[in-house]
Amino acid sequence: MRKLKQFNTQIASEEHISPGVMACPGCGGVLAMRLILKVLGKDVIVTTCPSCNSGFAQNYTVPSVHAPFAAVASWASGIRAGLDMLGDTKTTVLAVAGDGGTFDIGIQALSAAIERNENFIFVCYDNEAYMTTGIQRSSATPLGAWTATTPVANPKGENKKRIMDIMAAHRIPYAASASIGYPEDLIYKVKRAMQIRGTRFLHVLSPCPIGWRCSQDLSVKLSRMAVESKIFPLFEIVNGLRYKVQRPQHEIPVSEYLRLQGRFSHLDAKSIDKIQHITDREWRRLLAKESTATIK
Amino acid sequence: MENNKVVLPDSLLHPAYLEPEIIARARRKTGEWRFLRPILRNRTPPCSGACPAGIDIRQYLEFVRKQDFGEAWKIIELNNPMPAITGRVCYHPCEVDCNRKGLDSALNIHSIERSVGDFALRQSSRRPKVKARKEKVAIVGSGPAGITCGYYLSKLGYPTTVFEASSVAGGMLAVGIPEYRLPRKILAKQIEFLQRFGLEIKTCMAVGNEKGLDDLFDQGYLAVLLATGYQKGRQLNIAGENLPGVIQGIEFLARPATHAQWRNKEVVVIGGGNVAIDSARCALRLGARPLILYRRSRKEMPANEEEAQAALDEGVRIQFLASPVGLKSRNGRLVVQCEQMELGQKDGSGRKQAIAAKGPGFEVEADAVIPAIGQFTDAHLYTANGIETDGQGNVAVDENLLTSRKGVFAAGDCATGPATVALAIGSGRKAAISIDVYLSGKEYPVSKTGEIVQFEQMNLAYFSRQPRQEGKSLAPSARATSFAEVAEGLSKAKVVKEAGRCMECGGCNKCANCWLFCPDGAVLQDGAQLKVALEFCKGCGICAQECPRGVIAMEEETKWQVQ
């Protein structure tokens, strides 16, 4: 059992998002950003690109600049270079993009920045579709999900892009997946990322009650269930090679996670079995990567 | 149920700790979008809901966790002045209802209570000062109801006297509960402890049947509590019931030691209740070979499950579906003639009825027979003193335990029907409140209980399995020869650890999950308080969903309701 009582007092009480946020009720993205900014503190410059984050970046009490969709990693590189020129090593540069700005439109700039090992933290808050513009599919949308562009008659037939494998292939200094269902873990990973130089990547699952067609109060619960069902495993990769996978304390079948979301309500038992099968296979592959990570 | 809700006051709309400029600068008051609002509810945990004495278990466990047994005792003492006794003998309905059993196993509440009780008994029983009052109160019967009432009244300053007909104080605690469950040393200490506020107990003082109450009023007592209990064993109403060698269970339990001649003898106990089990276990300790005859099956036995199991462990035999129809004397021994029974339809109590099966009956030979099929109260005392009784022969009382005669109250079994020690304590305390109201002309206090938290309302993601701390008990082989206490208590370290398993159902323990998970930052920590800034709360309900203890609930905003 996590010791919340003691733990919560360790989390900074200072807020870096002022109240009155233009996010929908129950937004997982704004909760993720609230927790991440608490850890990063005041000395941070945020750069963001078109996403729901554009809507609530105006409430940040820390500086934030808005980049074109494809260029958030380039902007972060530039801001970092500018700060370095000024001799400011204290300020952290944080690039924030949704799954569209990371998996699809922003991937070229991100890949280039990691290749140059630019010194910033990149946070992808992943709500698994283009939610701002009306729930269009992205390459982060999971297999079988409904979106406005993958209707129930023809739901998404492709697997979610394995962004962490792409990151690992870059031999990025630090990449980790995190979840708002496990706030201590999320905070630990941000703290760890802050201690590392070079490009650091955080992949945070951020449920969207509107796009996921679920109840507003389930954002945190679904984040937790995604980890428990191993659909969204929590792990860290250091230098693209060393994996550390967290085993969920309590395991559930994927059907329990899918059942609570309207975007999966059309799935029949066979499709759910298929998702379960793929999930189990990917989990085994992930564990295999962890166990072979000792190869020099 | 309206008054159970703790509605956040409107002043929270502009909480001082959210700086006014922040509110003014906020471009949008996003709270205006809200359809639901979070409400903090004061909910009752199932343990307290089930406790016949109504102890605030969640609260005293909090102090036990902090190793502050003194404060824990103060919480228990508000409802129950003798936790050392109830921790031993109560059948702990609190544990039966404990929400924790859905996760792993129920909390060992009775062992914790026992530790706190023993701790209190070890403290000096110096008499604290209380403001003395003039109105004298008499209590008839020194059972748990009587002495509980006496304790609270003497604490309030009333000169109170308990009249006990028998030579020992304690009622059924002294003469009904066997020593191996409640050592007499503990009982004596507890009774001495209860007298520290000046309660007087007069033993060997029976209140006369005829005009007994008039005499008490003549002696200057302004209020009388009847707490006479259920003291007589019910007759079997079969032939041969008065043969030598037949002794009522309730009489046997009062003095088991006088039956030492039962060594290696066959003893038949008739009945399936707690008195039957206690009688059989006592007979076993005298060296006898007890056999219980019960007319229904194990499932229908009214005896406490744990006690029945302990009896079986010790080697007590139980013959089910056997109903005695006659007793005979043969060659200096007793013969119990039995009918074979079978189970039929369910009766009013929800148990299957026993009906005689076709075919021959059978006989059981014994050296002694103990009927233990229930008790009754001697209604003559009440009727002779002009007090009405109800259909069952109990004293007729209203919800405040007033009888039909002015100034006379009744508590315990004689008012509620046969029940448990804990209920008698609860009833005795209630009588003390009623008598205080009667004598001082105060108003009745309003009792507040919230909705009981169900297991489904708990968020189990925040609790992990932990094994229940069990106390040791005397080995069954050692029990056959001694009346030593069977259950040993828990060590202090184990008690504190066990209290740590409490899930604190329905009580906010400031875990601050609501603050941590609020996407809008609308839950604010103000010192030790958690408050909601309704200006910015969008009513998503994550706080209610993630509250581990079911404290927060969502309620519809009235402004959206169609009038």
Side-chain angles (χ1 to χ4, degrees), chain B residues 120 135 163 165 168 184 205 272 330 375 377 425 436 462 514 539:
Chain B
E135 301 92 339
F163 295 94
V168 286
R184 295 294 173 259
M205 287 278 280
R330 186 194 291 160
Q375 289 99 260
T377 182
I425 289 171
D436 183 36
Y462 300 104
C514 45

Side-chain angles (χ1 to χ4, degrees), chain B residues 537-549:
Chain B
C537 167
K538 294 174 192 150
C540 65
I542 289 180
C543 50
Q545 177 67 244
E546 295 307 314
C547 178
R549 309 181 164 77

